[in-house]
C-alpha cells in the first residue's frame, strides 16, 4: 500500500512524494487524511534545520501532527469502523522515512488508541485540536493559574485567551509586536508591549517562542509571579538573574498535551464553549505543499495554513 506524502529531505528541501506504508496490524486503522495543518513551531525548526536534538528525529521525515480524516479500514477489535472521522496526531508508518510527526499524507496507518473520534462537521477546523489541546494542557491541572498576560497573538496565543475567558476568568491582556496580528481578539485586549505599563502580572504565558522577550516578562511580573514557557525554544533559556531574584519569579515549562486534554478540548469545541473560528487563514491543495510550507513559515499574515488532501491521489 502506498501513499502520497509531504517529505522533508533536509533543511528547506521539501517536496511531495510517494511512499510505501507499513501493513496495518490487528490494532491499527487505515485513515484517509482530508486536512493537515502546518506547525509554525516545531515543524518550522525542522524545515530551517534549527531543531535541537530530539528523540526519533532525522531526515527524510514526514511532518504533520495536526490531521483529520476518515477511517477506511478497521478491525472490529479497534472499536472503530469505516466512515468514522478522527483526529490524527501523526503516524509512524513509512518505509524509508521517519514518522516523528507523520500526519501530512493522503493515507496513513496508525494505532487505534492514538486517534480521537470527532464530528465530521468540524471539517478543516478539526486539525486545530492539537493546538487547542496544547493550550489547555498549559492551563489545566494542579498548581496552575490561568494567564493574565499572554505574549504572542498567533493561533496558540488566541486559543489561550479564548480558553481563559471560557473558564470564567478575567480577560487576559495579550502582547503582540506585529500590528497586523493585533486584530481578531474575542473579548480581550491586544496591545503593543511598549504601550503596557502594568508591572503586577502574576501569570504570564509566553506563546511567542522567543527568548528575547524573557527579561521583559520578568519585568512585567508582580512579586512571586510565574512565567510559563508555552512555546518550543531552539535556544538555551537565559534571563538576567537580579531582576528575577528581586521578583522571586517562578518559571514553568509546558509539555505536550495528553489524550485527556484532547478529549476535554473536543468537548469544549463541540459544546460551542470554545470557538475555532478565524484561526485558519490559508488553505491550499496538498500538491502545493512546497510553497504552502514556505508561506506558513515566512508570511506574518498566515496564522494557520491547512493542506487539503481530498483530491490528492
Amino acid at each position: 500500500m502506498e501513499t502520497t506524502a509531504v517529505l522533508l529531505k533536509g533543511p528547506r528541501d521539501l517536496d511531495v512524494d510517494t511512499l510505501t506504508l507499513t501493513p496495518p496490524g490487528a490494532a491499527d486503522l487505515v485513515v484517509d487524511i482530508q486536512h493537515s495543518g502546518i506547525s509554525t513551531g516545531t515543524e518550522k525548526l525542522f524545515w530551517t534545520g534549527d531543531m535541537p536534538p530530539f528523540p526519533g528525529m532525522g531526515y527524510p521525515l514526514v511532518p504533520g501532527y495536526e490531521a483529520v480524516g476518515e477511517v477506511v479500514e478497521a478491525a472490529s477489535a479497534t472499536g472503530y469502523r469505516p466512515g468514522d472521522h478522527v483526529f490524527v496526531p501523526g503516524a509512524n508508518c513509512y518505509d524509508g522515512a521517519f514518522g516523528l510527526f507523520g500526519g501530512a499524507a493522503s493515507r496513513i496507518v496508525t494505532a487505534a488508541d492514538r486517534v480521537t473520534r470527532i464530528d465530521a462537521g468540524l471539517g478543516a477546523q478539526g486539525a486545530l485540536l492539537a493546538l487547542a489541546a496544547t493550550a489547555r494542557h498549559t492551563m489545566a491541572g494542579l498548581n496552575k493559574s490561568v494567564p493574565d498576560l499572554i505574549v504572542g497573538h498567533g493561533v496558540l496565543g488566541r486559543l489561550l485567551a479564548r480558553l481563559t475567558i471560557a473558564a470564567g476568568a478575567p480577560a487576559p491582556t495579550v502582547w503582540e509586536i506585529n500590528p497586523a496580528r493585533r486584530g481578531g481578539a474575542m473579548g480581550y485586549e491586544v496591545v503593543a508591549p511598549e504601550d503596557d505599563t502594568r508591572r503586577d502580572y502574576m501569570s504570564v504565558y509566553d506563546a511567542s517562542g522567543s527568548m528575547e522577550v524573557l527579561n521583559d516578562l520578568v519585568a512585567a511580573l508582580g512579586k512571586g509571579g510565574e512565567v510559563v514557557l508555552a512555546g518550543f525554544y531552539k535556544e538555551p533559556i537565559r534571563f538576567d538573574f537580579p531582576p528575577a531574584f528581586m521578583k522571586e519569579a517562578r518559571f514553568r515549562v509546558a509539555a505536550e498535551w495528553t489524550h485527556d486534554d484532547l478529549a476535554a478540548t473536543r468537548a469544549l469545541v463541540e459544546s460551542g464553549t470554545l470557538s475555532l473560528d478565524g484561526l485558519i487563514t490559508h488553505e491550499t491543495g496538498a500538491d502545493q505543499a512546497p510553497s504552502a510550507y514556505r508561506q506558513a513559515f515566512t508570511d506574518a499574515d498566515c496564522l494557520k495554513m491547512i493542506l487539503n488532501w481530498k483530491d490528492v491521489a
Side-chain angles (χ1 to χ4, degrees), residues 85-293:
H85 287 259
V86 292
F87 169 81
V88 182
N92 189 10
C93 57
Y94 307 101
D95 184 14
F98 288 91
L100 176 61
F101 299 142
S106 61
R107 174 169 288 189
I108 60 98
V109 176
T110 183
D113 60 7
R114 296 199 68 216
V115 309
T116 299
R117 189 179 280 107
I118 63 171
D119 185 339
L122 279 176
Q125 287 189 347
L128 297 171
L129 286 177
L131 273 176
T134 298
R136 193 261 181 185
H137 185 80
T138 66
M139 297 168 55
L142 295 174
N143 303 316
K144 294 182 179 179
S145 300
V146 297
D148 48 10
L149 173 63
I150 297 166
V151 181
H153 201 223
V155 176
L156 180 58
R158 293 171 196 234
L159 286 166
L160 287 167
R162 294 180 188 187
L163 283 169
T164 300
I165 294 172
T173 298
V174 178
W175 284 0
E176 175 55 57
I177 61 173
N178 184 350
R181 287 200 169 189
R182 291 184 195 142
M186 299 175 65
Y188 55 90
E189 185 180 15
V190 184
V191 301
E194 62 270 19
D195 294 336
D196 187 1
T197 59
R198 183 176 168 182
R199 294 295 180 264
D200 62 351
Y201 291 108
M202 297 306 295
S203 185
V204 178
Y205 281 52
D206 178 58
S208 72
S210 171
M211 279 297 93
E212 296 178 2
V213 74
L214 193 53
N215 285 323
D216 294 330
L217 304 190
V218 171
L221 284 177
K223 195 172 183 66
E226 180 181 63
V227 175
V228 180
L229 303 178
F232 197 94
Y233 305 86
K234 65 178 182 179
E235 301 165 347
I237 306 300
R238 295 189 180 93
F239 57 90
D240 294 336
F241 183 76
F245 174 82
M246 296 296 292
K247 293 289 184 75
E248 295 191 69
R250 295 175 292 122
F251 298 86
R252 175 165 61 87
V253 175
E256 187 179 10
W257 56 268
T258 67
H259 280 285
D260 287 344
D261 296 310
L262 189 65
T265 303
R266 180 191 62 186
L268 289 172
V269 172
E270 292 179 349
S271 69
T273 305
L274 175 64
S275 171
L276 300 177
D277 292 344
L279 300 178
I280 296 173
T281 55
H282 294 71
E283 183 174 339
T284 189
D287 57 336
Q288 301 299 312
S291 60
Y293 274 80

